[in-house]
Amino acid sequence: MSSLRATFTLSFAAVAAVVTVLVGFLSYDAAARLVRVDQQTVFAGVVQDLRGEVREQALEPEDFAQSDPGHAGALDKIVRPSRTDVQVLGPGGAVVDRGHPPLPVAAVDRQAADASVAGTLAEHKEVEVGGNWYRVATVALGDGRGAVQVAQEFSDTEDLLNELQQRTVLLVAAVVIASGLFGWWLARRITRRLVRLAGAAEDVARTGRLGIQVPVAGYDEVARLGRSFDRMLGRLAQSEEDQRRLVQDAGHELRTPLTSLRTNISMLRRIDELPPAAREELVADLALESRELTDLVNELVALAAGRSDTEPVRRVDLGEVAEDVAVVARRRSGRDIVVRVSGGVVVDGRPTALQRAVSNLVENAVKFDRGGAGAVEVVVAGVRPGLPGGVRVEVLDRGPGIGDGDLERVFDRFYRAADARSLPGSGLGLSIVREVAVGHGGAPFAYRREGGGVVIGFTVGGEGDGGEG
């Protein structure tokens, strides 16, 4: 998780650095370009005005003298507003009025001073004077009368731009550091819940305890992940508890037939001493207990498989399933089994599991309806007649019914009502019905039938509430 936090921090800092460097570079380049172009434009304007002035008037070097404080030179209106340095040359390039600072006079400048055409121009783009850099232009007065040198210092501008560059670099560095700190804080805030979630997962892996509460708040993806993880732990814990209870209940239920079998087997050693009636009773009891034990083991295996059944889902006609179950039940019990089908009863499900559920309901009704006063009815109907949806399966009998206290627990594993404990069975049949119903998106239900008896059934893939129809 620390690597994820570092990744967040570095990514945020890198993005901020790239953006800041790009913006700083573009800003500095635009500012430097603007300043340089503006200075060049001003200097070019001064030189152009000076050339126009000397072409229009026959001026002498003395007209540009600046040594006299009270003298209003010809360049005052041009030079002073632009803060330009001026040096006046006489014939042959002799310095008549030295500039501040003095400007160097090169051969091209002397040629300009001796030029016959007024406005002849000699330019120097970079001239070092006293450690500073200038751009210099020499404009001829004409007829060999001399020339005027105009200079503009740009080294101070470059110094200003260099300082601006340094400040931009410092600002970029400060922004990168600040963005890194902010990215670390933001990454820590974002990953804090992930750290807790990872800690909870590590605790589960280390201790094996599934009851750990995962503290998650919010509605973002991290919160959704935390809630999903919490629900997963809850379901795993419930599954573990169900398995533990299944093992305990199975051990308790297996103990009785095993004890009876062990007792009867011990009696087999003295079977020759027993009277014929006792021998037949002993053999019959052994057969009954072994059959009960076999049924119990088979139902335990079916229940333990639960929803992990690998049987593929197919289109199943529950009406045909009920008819097949009724045929087998009639042959085994000799009872009258009536099947009524209405509406659309074809669903997507696991055929073997659904047949097992219907068979358990019918066998349960036959077992408890010992009087056989009426037929056992199997009703299969669509939850919403005429529309696609779930299917409701219910089995009706005229047996002794179920007490109020037993209705809520009749689908619990190994639960058997007080008046049913003397009858054969494991108490797992209806719990298997519940597992099948829930596994197919439905629910089991049970209620007393008017006129005596009980109605027990389940819904599949619908929204049946399990109440009385």
Side-chain angles (χ1 to χ4, degrees):
M1 192 58 62
S2 60
S3 60
L4 180 60
R5 185 176 298 172
T7 301
F8 269 114
T9 303
L10 294 177
S11 300
F12 195 87
V15 172
V18 170
V19 173
T20 305
V21 169
L22 184 61
V23 171
F25 172 77
L26 294 177
S27 301
Y28 170 78
D29 183 70
R33 187 185 303 274
L34 182 63
V35 170
R36 291 186 178 116
V37 169
D38 182 67
Q39 281 195 327
Q40 291 176 358
T41 302
V42 170
F43 185 72
V46 170
V47 173
Q48 191 64 28
D49 291 342
L50 177 59
R51 296 180 71 186
E53 188 77 15
V54 300
R55 285 172 180 171
E56 293 176 359
Q57 307 176 38
L59 299 176
E60 299 292 334
E62 291 75 11
D63 294 329
F64 297 92
Q66 299 178 4
S67 57
D68 183 3
H71 179 75
L75 286 181
D76 285 353
K77 61 180 180 179
I78 299 174
V79 175
R80 288 178 182 174
S82 62
R83 301 176 61 185
T84 307
D85 295 328
V86 177
Q87 181 170 275
V88 183
L89 303 179
V95 178
V96 175
D97 191 354
R98 194 173 300 277
H100 303 283
L103 300 177
V105 180
V108 292
D109 300 321
R110 295 187 185 94
Q111 292 175 3
D114 293 333
S116 59
V117 179
T120 300
L121 180 64
E123 288 186 292
H124 305 277
K125 293 185 178 180
E126 293 183 3
V127 176
E128 184 178 6
V129 181
N132 295 321
W133 292 91
Y134 291 79
R135 57 173 59 91
V136 180
T138 303
V139 179
L141 298 178
D143 297 329
R145 293 192 298 272
V148 178
Q149 288 184 301
V150 182
Q152 182 187 57
E153 182 181 358
F154 62 82
S155 60
D156 57 345
T157 302
E158 295 299 324
D159 292 340
L160 177 62
L161 293 176
N162 290 335
E163 184 178 356
L164 177 62
Q165 186 180 38
Q166 293 176 0
R167 291 188 177 183
T168 303
V169 172
L170 292 177
L171 178 62
V172 169
V175 170
V176 171
I177 294 174
S179 62
L181 293 176
F182 179 75
W184 176 83
W185 174 83
L186 184 62
R188 185 172 181 270
R189 183 178 180 85
I190 293 175
T191 60
R192 181 168 50 194
R193 291 175 295 169
L194 288 176
V195 170
R196 290 202 300 265
L197 188 59
E202 292 172 354
D203 289 342
V204 171
R206 184 178 63 257
T207 63
R209 293 186 294 109
L210 299 176
I212 297 177
Q213 186 71 23
V214 181
V216 177
Y219 300 94
D220 56 5
E221 288 76 4
V222 177
R224 289 169 53 193
L225 176 62
R227 281 191 286 270
S228 298
F229 184 69
D230 191 40
R231 288 194 295 268
M232 180 188 70
L233 288 181
R235 291 184 179 181
L236 287 176
Q238 182 62 42
S239 176
E240 186 180 60
E241 176 64 18
D242 292 343
Q243 290 179 1
R244 186 185 63 82
R245 288 177 51 198
L246 177 62
V247 171
Q248 290 179 348
D249 294 343
H252 175 75
E253 293 296 325
L254 286 170
R255 190 174 297 115
T256 299
L258 288 176
T259 301
S260 178
L261 281 174
R262 193 162 48 244
T263 301
N264 289 332
I265 290 174
S266 65
M267 293 291 296
L268 288 176
R269 297 177 180 176
R270 297 186 297 112
I271 192 171
D272 295 336
E273 302 174 7
L274 299 177
R279 294 179 185 177
E280 293 180 1
E281 182 180 358
L282 177 60
V283 173
D285 193 33
L286 281 172
L288 177 63
E289 292 295 341
S290 62
R291 185 166 54 252
E292 289 289 326
L293 183 60
T294 301
D295 292 341
L296 178 59
V297 171
N298 290 335
E299 290 182 340
L300 280 174
V301 171
L303 188 61
R307 299 180 187 178
S308 63
D309 194 350
T310 57
E311 183 184 9
V313 176
R314 294 185 300 178
R315 298 291 289 172
V316 180
D317 188 331
L318 285 179
E320 295 181 357
V321 171
E323 291 287 358
D324 294 340
V325 170
V327 170
V328 176
R330 293 189 193 104
R331 184 174 64 250
R332 288 179 177 176
S333 65
R335 295 289 304 276
D336 187 14
I337 311 295
V338 178
V339 178
R340 296 200 302 271
V341 180
S342 63
V345 295
V346 178
V347 297
D348 293 328
R350 296 181 174 88
T352 303
L354 291 171
Q355 185 173 15
R356 174 83 180 200
V358 177
S359 178
N360 285 358
L361 290 177
V362 174
E363 290 177 1
N364 185 77
V366 171
K367 178 174 62 177
F368 285 98
D369 189 3
R370 296 184 296 272
V376 175
E377 301 178 27
V378 182
V379 179
V380 184
V383 173
R384 297 181 295 175
L387 296 175
V391 177
R392 181 184 179 95
V393 179
E394 56 185 23
V395 177
L396 303 83
D397 63 56
R398 290 297 183 184
I402 302 177
D404 293 336
D406 297 325
L407 278 175
E408 297 180 357
R409 303 187 59 190
V410 70
F411 293 101
D412 292 346
R413 294 172 182 172
F414 300 107
Y415 180 76
R416 303 178 72 184
D419 56 354
R421 291 171 185 168
S422 60
L423 298 176
S426 62
L428 290 175
L430 294 183
S431 64
I432 293 176
V433 172
R434 180 184 63 183
E435 293 292 332
V436 173
V438 173
H440 287 77
F445 59 85
Y447 56 90
R448 287 191 298 275
R449 185 183 182 187
E450 294 183 4
V454 68
V455 178
I456 303 180
F458 63 93
T459 58
V460 177
E463 300 178 353
D465 57 3
E468 294 188 39

